[in-house]
Amino acid sequence: MSGATQLIETVLREADVRINGDRPWDIHVKDERFYAAVVRGRSLGFGEAYMAGWWDCERIDELTSKLFVSDIGGRFRLTPANVLLGVRAFFESGGTRRNAFKVGEHHYNIGNDLFSRMLDKRMVYTCGYWRNAKNLDEAQEAKLDLVCKKLGLRAGQKVLDIGCGWGSFAKFAAEKYGAHVTGVTVSKEQAALGKELCTGLPVVFELKDYRDVRGRFDHIVSLGMFEHVGYKHYRTYMQVVHDHLKDDGLFLLHTIGNNYSTNYTDPWIRKYIFPGGMLPSVVQVGKAVEKLFVIEDWQNFGADYDRTLMAWFANFDRHWPEIRSHYGDGFYRMWKFYLMVTAGSFRARDIQLWQVVLSKKGVSGGYLSVR
């Protein structure tokens, strides 16, 4: 047995994971190169080895959850390679105007045929709210309604949606609440389909960086976009929101959150899924809003993202034969790994989902939390 093999087996045993075991979360090694790849590349090597077919697992979500609960990831973070990642992230220009459209091109422009099959009927690509929901459609509609209620949205009000996706919130807010919505996205595919889906509604789509927004709005929402801003630009982002929000308006920030502050993201996710992506911490959000906003409400329903991601994978897997020829089997393994690993991370509570309601000067008499 090589040193790499012995090391990996020992570490996995601490998380109750066996090599070639018979439980759904056990790893089955197909190629011995797996061991050296993981020792050398850690999480990047682990993901690339899966993409190459060097290992397999019946339930990657359960495997990932066990790895995070046992804090194997924590042991891997403090390595020279990850220190270099932090240094690289500091000097790279992620989140700048020049790179603003990069994530749109790399991820959100992959293909509307993929997302329309994977997501719910409204094409909401953020966490659903499962408190009283029986399925994905209900969970996503409940989340959109929750956002509108937290804003106290009324007919005729103007709302800015930063990172509007395919217009799911804009369409819902216009149809159900009579709002006038301006959606901003860096994805041409999202903007094109969004315009089609919102035909006839008081909804406008703008293909631009959030820093180029014009006008003032009664309310502003940001659902799943803050993860692309980058820690060096959190303050700039909040200043932009502050400048375009009316004095008596509310801002709702819906974002995945990290349990600790960092200046880099997982290298596999960064390379294959979200270039420049980064998860904020409570401290980083707090510093970004200081002297700009009053935090009126902070809700964490990160456990709901586990269920959302599992529903997305079920849809993706069921419809895969319809789009296989467009994407290829290599894409299937990459996308499955992305969805399953992320679900496991939320299940282990390693990452969170926050909805934060902010006002510029404090709500007179106090804000009434909505759940």
mmCIF file with all atom_site columns, all heavy atoms in Angstrom, residues 16 31 76 80 136 194 197 224 273 277 298 367:
data_model
loop_
_atom_site.group_PDB
_atom_site.id
_atom_site.type_symbol
_atom_site.label_atom_id
_atom_site.label_alt_id
_atom_site.label_comp_id
_atom_site.label_asym_id
_atom_site.label_entity_id
_atom_site.label_seq_id
_atom_site.pdbx_PDB_ins_code
_atom_site.Cartn_x
_atom_site.Cartn_y
_atom_site.Cartn_z
_atom_site.occupancy
_atom_site.B_iso_or_equiv
_atom_site.pdbx_formal_charge
_atom_site.auth_seq_id
_atom_site.auth_comp_id
_atom_site.auth_asym_id
_atom_site.auth_atom_id
_atom_site.pdbx_PDB_model_num
ATOM 1  N N   . ASP A 1 16  ? -16.096 8.006  8.628   1.00 0.00 ? 16  ASP A N   1
ATOM 2  C CA  . ASP A 1 16  ? -16.948 6.833  8.442   1.00 0.00 ? 16  ASP A CA  1
ATOM 3  C C   . ASP A 1 16  ? -17.210 6.562  6.959   1.00 0.00 ? 16  ASP A C   1
ATOM 4  O O   . ASP A 1 16  ? -18.310 6.223  6.538   1.00 0.00 ? 16  ASP A O   1
ATOM 5  C CB  . ASP A 1 16  ? -18.281 6.983  9.182   1.00 0.00 ? 16  ASP A CB  1
ATOM 6  C CG  . ASP A 1 16  ? -19.096 5.686  9.184   1.00 0.00 ? 16  ASP A CG  1
ATOM 7  O OD1 . ASP A 1 16  ? -18.479 4.604  9.173   1.00 0.00 ? 16  ASP A OD1 1
ATOM 8  O OD2 . ASP A 1 16  ? -20.347 5.780  9.168   1.00 0.00 ? 16  ASP A OD2 1
ATOM 9  N N   . ASP A 1 31  ? -9.530  3.725  -10.482 1.00 0.00 ? 31  ASP A N   1
ATOM 10 C CA  . ASP A 1 31  ? -8.192  3.946  -11.016 1.00 0.00 ? 31  ASP A CA  1
ATOM 11 C C   . ASP A 1 31  ? -7.290  4.371  -9.851  1.00 0.00 ? 31  ASP A C   1
ATOM 12 O O   . ASP A 1 31  ? -7.620  5.298  -9.104  1.00 0.00 ? 31  ASP A O   1
ATOM 13 C CB  . ASP A 1 31  ? -8.228  5.032  -12.092 1.00 0.00 ? 31  ASP A CB  1
ATOM 14 C CG  . ASP A 1 31  ? -6.937  5.143  -12.877 1.00 0.00 ? 31  ASP A CG  1
ATOM 15 O OD1 . ASP A 1 31  ? -5.867  5.304  -12.237 1.00 0.00 ? 31  ASP A OD1 1
ATOM 16 O OD2 . ASP A 1 31  ? -6.966  5.108  -14.114 1.00 0.00 ? 31  ASP A OD2 1
ATOM 17 N N   . PHE A 1 76  ? -7.766  20.318 5.261   1.00 0.00 ? 76  PHE A N   1
ATOM 18 C CA  . PHE A 1 76  ? -7.177  20.579 3.960   1.00 0.00 ? 76  PHE A CA  1
ATOM 19 C C   . PHE A 1 76  ? -7.023  22.060 3.665   1.00 0.00 ? 76  PHE A C   1
ATOM 20 O O   . PHE A 1 76  ? -6.262  22.445 2.802   1.00 0.00 ? 76  PHE A O   1
ATOM 21 C CB  . PHE A 1 76  ? -8.034  19.947 2.849   1.00 0.00 ? 76  PHE A CB  1
ATOM 22 C CG  . PHE A 1 76  ? -7.883  18.453 2.746   1.00 0.00 ? 76  PHE A CG  1
ATOM 23 C CD1 . PHE A 1 76  ? -8.760  17.707 1.974   1.00 0.00 ? 76  PHE A CD1 1
ATOM 24 C CD2 . PHE A 1 76  ? -6.872  17.792 3.413   1.00 0.00 ? 76  PHE A CD2 1
ATOM 25 C CE1 . PHE A 1 76  ? -8.631  16.329 1.867   1.00 0.00 ? 76  PHE A CE1 1
ATOM 26 C CE2 . PHE A 1 76  ? -6.730  16.414 3.317   1.00 0.00 ? 76  PHE A CE2 1
ATOM 27 C CZ  . PHE A 1 76  ? -7.616  15.687 2.545   1.00 0.00 ? 76  PHE A CZ  1
ATOM 28 N N   . PRO A 1 80  ? -0.126  24.776 2.017   1.00 0.00 ? 80  PRO A N   1
ATOM 29 C CA  . PRO A 1 80  ? 0.569   25.775 1.202   1.00 0.00 ? 80  PRO A CA  1
ATOM 30 C C   . PRO A 1 80  ? -0.183  26.110 -0.079  1.00 0.00 ? 80  PRO A C   1
ATOM 31 O O   . PRO A 1 80  ? -0.222  27.267 -0.496  1.00 0.00 ? 80  PRO A O   1
ATOM 32 C CB  . PRO A 1 80  ? 1.913   25.098 0.909   1.00 0.00 ? 80  PRO A CB  1
ATOM 33 C CG  . PRO A 1 80  ? 2.131   24.184 2.076   1.00 0.00 ? 80  PRO A CG  1
ATOM 34 C CD  . PRO A 1 80  ? 0.759   23.666 2.422   1.00 0.00 ? 80  PRO A CD  1
ATOM 35 N N   . LEU A 1 136 ? -40.892 21.412 -5.514  1.00 0.00 ? 136 LEU A N   1
ATOM 36 C CA  . LEU A 1 136 ? -40.004 22.509 -5.878  1.00 0.00 ? 136 LEU A CA  1
ATOM 37 C C   . LEU A 1 136 ? -40.771 23.740 -6.347  1.00 0.00 ? 136 LEU A C   1
ATOM 38 O O   . LEU A 1 136 ? -40.427 24.873 -5.989  1.00 0.00 ? 136 LEU A O   1
ATOM 39 C CB  . LEU A 1 136 ? -39.025 22.048 -6.963  1.00 0.00 ? 136 LEU A CB  1
ATOM 40 C CG  . LEU A 1 136 ? -37.979 23.065 -7.419  1.00 0.00 ? 136 LEU A CG  1
ATOM 41 C CD1 . LEU A 1 136 ? -37.074 23.475 -6.270  1.00 0.00 ? 136 LEU A CD1 1
ATOM 42 C CD2 . LEU A 1 136 ? -37.142 22.496 -8.578  1.00 0.00 ? 136 LEU A CD2 1
ATOM 43 N N   . GLY A 1 194 ? -35.679 36.028 -20.478 1.00 0.00 ? 194 GLY A N   1
ATOM 44 C CA  . GLY A 1 194 ? -36.446 36.791 -19.503 1.00 0.00 ? 194 GLY A CA  1
ATOM 45 C C   . GLY A 1 194 ? -37.408 37.763 -20.168 1.00 0.00 ? 194 GLY A C   1
ATOM 46 O O   . GLY A 1 194 ? -38.575 37.886 -19.766 1.00 0.00 ? 194 GLY A O   1
ATOM 47 N N   . LEU A 1 197 ? -40.335 35.775 -21.456 1.00 0.00 ? 197 LEU A N   1
ATOM 48 C CA  . LEU A 1 197 ? -41.228 35.286 -20.407 1.00 0.00 ? 197 LEU A CA  1
ATOM 49 C C   . LEU A 1 197 ? -42.039 36.406 -19.756 1.00 0.00 ? 197 LEU A C   1
ATOM 50 O O   . LEU A 1 197 ? -43.112 36.158 -19.204 1.00 0.00 ? 197 LEU A O   1
ATOM 51 C CB  . LEU A 1 197 ? -40.416 34.549 -19.334 1.00 0.00 ? 197 LEU A CB  1
ATOM 52 C CG  . LEU A 1 197 ? -39.719 33.256 -19.773 1.00 0.00 ? 197 LEU A CG  1
ATOM 53 C CD1 . LEU A 1 197 ? -38.829 32.717 -18.656 1.00 0.00 ? 197 LEU A CD1 1
ATOM 54 C CD2 . LEU A 1 197 ? -40.741 32.205 -20.194 1.00 0.00 ? 197 LEU A CD2 1
ATOM 55 N N   . GLY A 1 224 ? -29.156 35.823 -4.876  1.00 0.00 ? 224 GLY A N   1
ATOM 56 C CA  . GLY A 1 224 ? -28.137 34.907 -5.381  1.00 0.00 ? 224 GLY A CA  1
ATOM 57 C C   . GLY A 1 224 ? -27.114 35.544 -6.292  1.00 0.00 ? 224 GLY A C   1
ATOM 58 O O   . GLY A 1 224 ? -26.494 34.847 -7.096  1.00 0.00 ? 224 GLY A O   1
ATOM 59 N N   . ILE A 1 273 ? -17.103 25.873 -12.184 1.00 0.00 ? 273 ILE A N   1
ATOM 60 C CA  . ILE A 1 273 ? -18.495 26.293 -12.045 1.00 0.00 ? 273 ILE A CA  1
ATOM 61 C C   . ILE A 1 273 ? -18.643 27.816 -11.972 1.00 0.00 ? 273 ILE A C   1
ATOM 62 O O   . ILE A 1 273 ? -19.302 28.419 -12.817 1.00 0.00 ? 273 ILE A O   1
ATOM 63 C CB  . ILE A 1 273 ? -19.141 25.647 -10.796 1.00 0.00 ? 273 ILE A CB  1
ATOM 64 C CG1 . ILE A 1 273 ? -18.953 24.121 -10.828 1.00 0.00 ? 273 ILE A CG1 1
ATOM 65 C CG2 . ILE A 1 273 ? -20.622 26.014 -10.740 1.00 0.00 ? 273 ILE A CG2 1
ATOM 66 C CD1 . ILE A 1 273 ? -19.609 23.428 -12.010 1.00 0.00 ? 273 ILE A CD1 1
ATOM 67 N N   . GLY A 1 277 ? -16.184 33.376 -7.999  1.00 0.00 ? 277 GLY A N   1
ATOM 68 C CA  . GLY A 1 277 ? -17.194 33.283 -6.954  1.00 0.00 ? 277 GLY A CA  1
ATOM 69 C C   . GLY A 1 277 ? -16.572 33.303 -5.562  1.00 0.00 ? 277 GLY A C   1
ATOM 70 O O   . GLY A 1 277 ? -15.434 32.881 -5.373  1.00 0.00 ? 277 GLY A O   1
ATOM 71 N N   . TRP A 1 298 ? -32.556 39.263 9.813   1.00 0.00 ? 298 TRP A N   1
ATOM 72 C CA  . TRP A 1 298 ? -31.561 38.320 9.253   1.00 0.00 ? 298 TRP A CA  1
ATOM 73 C C   . TRP A 1 298 ? -32.096 36.904 9.457   1.00 0.00 ? 298 TRP A C   1
ATOM 74 O O   . TRP A 1 298 ? -32.170 36.432 10.588  1.00 0.00 ? 298 TRP A O   1
ATOM 75 C CB  . TRP A 1 298 ? -30.219 38.501 9.956   1.00 0.00 ? 298 TRP A CB  1
ATOM 76 C CG  . TRP A 1 298 ? -29.046 37.845 9.270   1.00 0.00 ? 298 TRP A CG  1
ATOM 77 C CD1 . TRP A 1 298 ? -28.941 36.544 8.881   1.00 0.00 ? 298 TRP A CD1 1
ATOM 78 C CD2 . TRP A 1 298 ? -27.809 38.471 8.908   1.00 0.00 ? 298 TRP A CD2 1
ATOM 79 N NE1 . TRP A 1 298 ? -27.721 36.316 8.298   1.00 0.00 ? 298 TRP A NE1 1
ATOM 80 C CE2 . TRP A 1 298 ? -26.999 37.481 8.306   1.00 0.00 ? 298 TRP A CE2 1
ATOM 81 C CE3 . TRP A 1 298 ? -27.304 39.760 9.059   1.00 0.00 ? 298 TRP A CE3 1
ATOM 82 C CZ2 . TRP A 1 298 ? -25.717 37.752 7.848   1.00 0.00 ? 298 TRP A CZ2 1
ATOM 83 C CZ3 . TRP A 1 298 ? -26.027 40.017 8.594   1.00 0.00 ? 298 TRP A CZ3 1
ATOM 84 C CH2 . TRP A 1 298 ? -25.239 39.029 7.994   1.00 0.00 ? 298 TRP A CH2 1
ATOM 85 N N   . TYR A 1 367 ? -39.186 47.192 12.506  1.00 0.00 ? 367 TYR A N   1
ATOM 86 C CA  . TYR A 1 367 ? -39.529 46.305 11.383  1.00 0.00 ? 367 TYR A CA  1
ATOM 87 C C   . TYR A 1 367 ? -40.176 45.038 11.913  1.00 0.00 ? 367 TYR A C   1
ATOM 88 O O   . TYR A 1 367 ? -39.682 44.418 12.873  1.00 0.00 ? 367 TYR A O   1
ATOM 89 C CB  . TYR A 1 367 ? -38.274 45.964 10.585  1.00 0.00 ? 367 TYR A CB  1
ATOM 90 C CG  . TYR A 1 367 ? -38.505 44.987 9.440   1.00 0.00 ? 367 TYR A CG  1
ATOM 91 C CD1 . TYR A 1 367 ? -38.994 45.434 8.226   1.00 0.00 ? 367 TYR A CD1 1
ATOM 92 C CD2 . TYR A 1 367 ? -38.249 43.623 9.599   1.00 0.00 ? 367 TYR A CD2 1
ATOM 93 C CE1 . TYR A 1 367 ? -39.204 44.555 7.169   1.00 0.00 ? 367 TYR A CE1 1
ATOM 94 C CE2 . TYR A 1 367 ? -38.455 42.733 8.560   1.00 0.00 ? 367 TYR A CE2 1
ATOM 95 C CZ  . TYR A 1 367 ? -38.939 43.201 7.352   1.00 0.00 ? 367 TYR A CZ  1
ATOM 96 O OH  . TYR A 1 367 ? -39.166 42.326 6.318   1.00 0.00 ? 367 TYR A OH  1
#
